[in-house]
Amino acid sequence: MKTIQNKIVAFILLTFVSFGVNAQIDRSQMPEGGPAPKISIDDPTEWELKNGIKVLLVENNKLPRVSYSLSIDNKPLVEGDKAGTASILSAMLGNGTTSISKEDFNEEVDFLGATMSFGSSGGFASTLSKYSDRIVELMADAAMNPLLTEEEFNKEKDKVIEGFKADEKSVDAAAGRVGSALAYGKDHAYGEFATVETVNNIQFQDVLDLYKKRYAPNNAYIVIVGDIDEKTAKKQVKEHFGKWAKVDLPEVASPALTSNVDQTQINFIDMPNAVQSNIAITNNVDLKMNDEDYHAALITNNILGGGGEGYLFKNLREDKGYTYGAYSSLGASRYGVSRFNASAKVRNEVTDSAVVEFVKEIKRIRTEPVDPQTLKDAKAKYVGNFVMALERPQTIANYALNIKRNNLPEDFYEDYLENINEVSVEDVQRVAQKYFDIDNSRIIIVGKGSDVVPALERLNMPIKYYTKYAEATEKPVFSKPLPADLTAADVLKKYVDAIGGEAKLKAIKTTMTKANVTIQGMPFKPVATIKRMAPNKMSMEMEIEGMGTVMAQKFDGSTGYMEQQGQRRVMPENEINDSKAQKGLFPELYMDAAKVELESLVDVEGTDAYKVKVTKDDGKTSYRFYAADTGYLIRTEETTEQSGQSITSVTEYGDYKEVDGVMMAMTTKITAGPQVLTFETTESKTNEGVTEADFN
């Protein structure tokens, strides 16, 4: 079965210009770079409506399209015990107006071949130029007269709560939530987060009140980009947005910069379902775009963790192979409230080592002068990306908006490349020391505590424990005392008895399962048909509606293959050997007592489970977890090598139901690296529907 799972996961998974040159050029010498080019950026056409809306227009006639971006420049707002109100308002906006129903509104936008979206701080629309006037009219109507009904409010509120339930076991969701909350504080605009409790506190009137006090033209910008002239644009905006009345907006305090911790510490969040550790080293910074350090800060962060050439990536991925990627970011905020953050997802067994390497690289850029060539390469890459971005008209508009919103000098972007190229070796070290505050950082780790905390404790760093909702807590109990004289063989026997008994299991010669497959991040949902025949024959086919069979895998007891998109690959020898080693449809019936070991009693998603270590004939190990109360298998873990990377695959089993007298898991969730697949069984049979021909 593991081979099937690995295959499913695998399934899911500068332009060169020639110049004429003189033969006398010395090609052994790299030409000297010239001075940084002076960027000439055409200023957008600007005007302001009487109600305070500032309009920026960038004409571009290459395509007969035009886009409109509405940006309402509000300060961040603390929502407190009703956090989530803005999210619900965002979901409700743009779905009709007081004069046009939701269905008619969305149908007309689709009919015009346009796109339109709204949020609590603005909106966006894009359409063919010939339909632009109507789209602006619809956009303005939706902004000024949104259709906010209690029925829609209740629907969106339920969706938010369902989303929380779906994310309950998400390590990424917990890491993002806790990271901001610990860095800024849960009562800070950048640190608060919504929960089921806060969303349940929200009433329909709260959404209406938020719209009234935040959605106004007073501090709004409209950015227009595309195939439209100034006269037409002015007429459109004045006619449709000009009647939007100003509002007496309440005063909102600017967010304050929160102090960093007194000493570097590990903040650990235990999530027993984590198959890898999510590491983030972070400290708060006071950095604005108009600060003299800004350009040096960009380059310094790029050198540390801006991509594949960064210190972090080269160390943790290329050298150590701990992760798929390690990166850093350094934010700049108009309020001087932001964070430095260095992060990666690593295997459980190397979590402590990864922390050591993170700290080493951050200290390295703070204490060792950067190699001049590394600095030169970083600047060249940044300059190239900057110049390429200028080819997009939207970039020009965004730059103009940045100047307005961040109080930048008018020539900020004209001098951008010059300022980048002036960054020196000394600047990099100075900026790193100032903003990469490794002596006062939080090392936030979300992972499986039973696997990683013992090694973290040997790093001699203070460890503080938090829940996945950023509440301080005591160190979790990772294992509990085992019952006296209980053995791994006892646990396996209890499982066999719980699902039907040895006689019934041995009487099953074939199984056939059909399941709907959900692949995280993928829009399509395949249907899998898995057939097995004792002792080790297997067939798995995946179909997508409208596409037929997109992948098939077969093993006939002696050899096998995988077929995908018309290409057939013979099963490698190691996979053939693994498949041959299977002795039956239910492995617990055939496990050698000398090769199974009861390690501990642990918590698996709130369920006490016996952790059994299984050693294969080739010496490789895996782990199986059996619920202490029911005896059911609820989880397996196995680490394999793929493309030079160690991948831990975790399979979770649930929703056991009787099939022909045997209890079988109807839900199977497989997590392997970044891939997450969930199988929901729709049909299950034993001893029927399977023939020898299925495995050819």
Side-chain angles (χ1 to χ4, degrees):
M1 186 63 183
K2 180 60 65 177
T3 302
I4 298 175
Q5 295 165 358
N6 289 340
K7 289 305 169 188
I8 294 173
V9 171
F11 160 65
I12 300 308
L13 297 175
L14 300 166
T15 302
F16 291 97
V17 181
S18 298
F19 294 94
V21 295
N22 190 295
Q24 296 180 351
I25 292 178
D26 185 358
R27 295 178 181 271
S28 66
Q29 297 296 320
M30 180 177 293
E32 291 293 326
K38 186 79 172 181
I39 297 296
S40 178
I41 301 177
D42 293 333
D43 292 329
T45 304
E46 301 181 25
W47 67 93
E48 185 173 339
L49 302 184
K50 291 182 180 180
N51 58 8
I53 296 179
K54 301 175 181 63
V55 187
L56 307 175
L57 168 64
V58 177
E59 292 188 47
N60 183 272
N61 308 116
K62 292 182 179 180
L63 294 173
R65 295 195 65 85
V66 60
S67 67
Y68 302 84
S69 298
L70 169 65
S71 175
I72 300 176
D73 196 17
N74 291 322
K75 289 181 179 178
L77 179 71
V78 178
E79 296 181 327
D81 64 356
K82 295 185 178 182
T85 307
S87 295
I88 293 177
L89 174 60
S90 295
M92 295 175 68
L93 289 169
N95 287 313
T97 74
T98 53
S99 60
I100 308 175
S101 70
K102 174 181 177 180
E103 292 74 17
D104 290 345
F105 185 91
N106 292 332
E107 184 177 338
E108 183 170 3
V109 171
D110 290 342
F111 177 77
L112 296 175
T115 59
M116 188 177 298
S117 60
F118 278 86
S120 60
S121 59
F124 175 83
S126 175
T127 185
L128 293 172
S129 303
K130 62 182 179 180
Y131 301 133
S132 62
D133 189 68
R134 178 56 177 163
I135 286 298
V136 175
E137 183 179 13
L138 290 172
M139 187 179 188
D141 194 16
M144 292 184 287
N145 308 297
L147 184 61
L148 303 177
T149 67
E150 190 158 8
E151 180 183 5
E152 285 298 315
F153 164 75
N154 289 327
K155 287 181 181 179
E156 296 302 335
K157 184 174 177 178
D158 289 343
K159 286 181 184 178
V160 172
I161 292 175
E162 284 301 314
F164 290 147
K165 293 178 181 178
D167 283 342
E168 183 65 24
K169 296 181 181 180
S170 170
V171 175
D172 290 342
R177 179 172 57 236
V178 175
S180 297
L182 293 182
Y184 297 115
K186 290 193 289 185
D187 57 352
H188 192 283
Y190 294 159
E192 72 173 359
F193 52 83
T195 65
V196 172
E197 181 181 2
T198 65
V199 171
N200 278 327
N201 290 337
I202 302 170
Q203 303 299 315
F204 178 48
Q205 188 61 46
D206 296 319
V207 174
L208 298 180
D209 292 342
L210 182 64
Y211 170 79
K212 291 174 183 177
K213 69 182 181 182
R214 300 282 283 179
Y215 225 83
N218 306 35
N219 302 316
Y221 294 89
I222 295 178
V223 177
I224 307 172
V225 179
D227 183 27
I228 188 170
D229 59 67
E230 179 182 353
K231 181 179 178 181
T232 303
K234 281 186 173 181
K235 180 177 180 296
Q236 287 179 350
V237 175
K238 181 179 179 181
E239 178 180 354
H240 301 303
F241 280 97
K243 48 194 173 187
W244 197 0
K246 281 189 175 182
V247 176
D248 185 14
L249 298 175
E251 285 293 325
V252 176
S254 298
L257 182 66
T258 309
S259 300
N260 290 314
V261 290
D262 294 335
Q263 66 179 118
T264 294
Q265 58 184 241
I266 294 173
N267 296 162
F268 191 83
I269 298 87
D270 181 38
M271 292 192 70
N273 64 296
V275 299
Q276 55 187 353
S277 296
N278 191 314
I279 301 174
I281 300 180
T282 188
N283 61 262
N284 296 344
V285 300
D286 178 357
L287 179 63
K288 305 182 183 70
M289 289 185 70
N290 56 10
D291 289 347
E292 62 179 3
D293 288 337
Y294 177 70
H295 297 88
L298 293 177
I299 293 300
T300 303
N301 178 72
N302 191 275
I303 292 170
L304 175 66
E309 298 302 316
Y311 287 3
L312 297 176
F313 193 97
K314 285 186 173 180
N315 182 330
L316 278 85
R317 161 132 190 188
E318 294 188 3
D319 183 27
K320 302 297 190 302
Y322 290 165
T323 178
Y324 285 105
Y327 307 94
S328 66
S329 61
L330 180 60
S333 162
R334 60 198 292 190
Y335 307 110
V337 181
S338 193
R339 293 164 63 192
F340 161 70
N341 197 71
S343 61
K345 299 174 185 177
V346 306
R347 306 193 312 276
N348 290 342
E349 60 268 28
V350 299
T351 302
D352 58 321
S353 301
V355 169
V356 171
E357 297 305 319
F358 262 114
V359 172
K360 183 179 79 173
E361 294 300 342
I362 295 172
K363 286 186 174 181
R364 172 188 169 197
I365 199 169
R366 285 168 50 92
T367 58
E368 298 179 13
V370 64
D371 179 75
Q373 186 61 48
T374 299
L375 174 59
K376 183 178 180 180
D377 292 343
K379 290 192 287 190
K381 179 181 177 181
Y382 210 94
V383 168
N385 290 337
F386 182 87
V387 172
M388 289 177 66
L390 289 176
E391 296 178 2
R392 300 188 294 270
Q394 190 66 50
T395 299
I396 308 301
N398 290 338
Y399 286 170
L401 189 58
N402 273 342
I403 288 173
K404 300 290 184 184
R405 298 180 64 173
N406 291 279
N407 193 28
L408 304 176
E410 292 296 326
D411 60 356
F412 180 83
Y413 287 103
E414 292 181 7
D415 296 337
Y416 199 90
L417 296 188
E418 182 178 347
N419 289 328
I420 288 291
N421 278 302
E422 285 181 353
V423 176
S424 66
V425 170
E426 293 75 20
D427 289 332
V428 170
Q429 190 168 343
R430 173 182 58 80
V431 165
Q433 291 174 352
K434 182 175 181 180
Y435 296 104
F436 303 165
D437 193 3
I438 193 57
D439 295 324
N440 303 95
S441 292
R442 294 180 183 271
I443 303 176
I444 301 173
I445 303 175
V446 183
K448 186 176 180 180
S450 59
D451 285 358
V452 304
V453 165
L456 291 175
E457 289 176 331
R458 294 193 288 270
L459 297 181
N460 294 320
M461 290 184 181
I463 302 179
K464 296 186 177 182
Y465 296 90
Y466 294 87
T467 69
K468 55 188 176 183
Y469 292 99
E471 299 166 345
T473 187
E474 297 297 321
K475 178 181 176 180
V477 176
F478 299 126
S479 62
K480 302 175 182 180
L482 286 167
D485 301 325
L486 185 71
T487 67
D490 296 331
V491 173
L492 299 183
K493 184 178 186 306
K494 182 177 180 179
Y495 165 71
V496 169
D497 292 341
I499 66 172
E502 182 176 349
K504 285 185 178 180
L505 299 187
K506 286 187 174 180
I508 295 176
K509 304 304 180 183
T510 68
T511 62
M512 188 280 290
T513 301
K514 288 189 176 181
N516 294 326
V517 185
T518 301
I519 306 168
Q520 182 173 290
M522 297 292 183
F524 50 81
K525 291 191 174 184
V527 174
T529 301
I530 302 172
K531 298 181 178 182
R532 301 171 66 206
M533 178 179 287
N536 52 26
K537 295 179 181 180
M538 180 277 302
S539 167
M540 189 274 295
E541 296 181 353
M542 295 187 72
E543 298 181 358
I544 297 176
E545 186 175 0
M547 298 174 63
T549 301
V550 295
M551 194 268 280
Q553 183 185 357
K554 310 279 186 175
F555 180 72
D556 64 6
S558 59
T559 188
Y561 65 89
M562 187 180 80
E563 191 169 271
Q564 183 175 340
Q565 297 179 339
Q567 301 294 318
R568 178 175 291 199
R569 180 179 70 86
V570 176
M571 184 179 288
E573 183 178 357
N574 63 317
E575 294 180 12
I576 290 176
N577 292 335
D578 286 343
S579 297
K580 285 182 176 180
Q582 297 181 34
K583 299 176 181 178
L585 302 183
F586 299 91
E588 283 79 0
L589 292 173
Y590 307 98
M591 289 181 178
D592 184 346
K595 294 185 177 181
V596 292
E597 176 186 353
L598 179 58
E599 285 205 341
S600 56
L601 177 62
V602 298
D603 181 281
V604 177
E605 301 298 327
T607 298
D608 285 346
Y610 295 117
K611 181 179 180 181
V612 176
K613 179 181 178 181
V614 180
T615 302
K616 296 182 180 180
D617 292 338
D618 60 6
K620 295 180 180 178
T621 60
S622 62
Y623 296 90
R624 303 174 76 84
F625 298 79
Y626 299 88
D629 53 356
T630 65
Y632 293 160
L633 175 69
I634 59 175
R635 184 183 180 113
T636 64
E637 296 180 2
E638 183 173 359
T639 300
T640 58
E641 292 289 329
Q642 294 182 17
S643 303
Q645 294 284 329
S646 293
I647 304 295
T648 298
S649 298
V650 175
T651 304
E652 299 170 79
Y653 303 93
D655 189 23
Y656 276 81
K657 292 183 179 178
E658 182 180 341
V659 178
D660 299 330
V662 174
M663 302 300 293
M664 294 189 177
M666 296 292 107
T667 302
T668 304
K669 180 181 178 182
I670 304 170
T671 303
Q675 302 290 345
V676 180
L677 299 90
T678 303
F679 292 73
E680 297 286 348
T681 299
T682 58
E683 183 181 0
S684 185
K685 297 180 179 180
T686 65
N687 294 334
E688 64 173 305
V690 180
T691 68
E692 292 281 356
D694 291 322
F695 308 102
N696 297 328

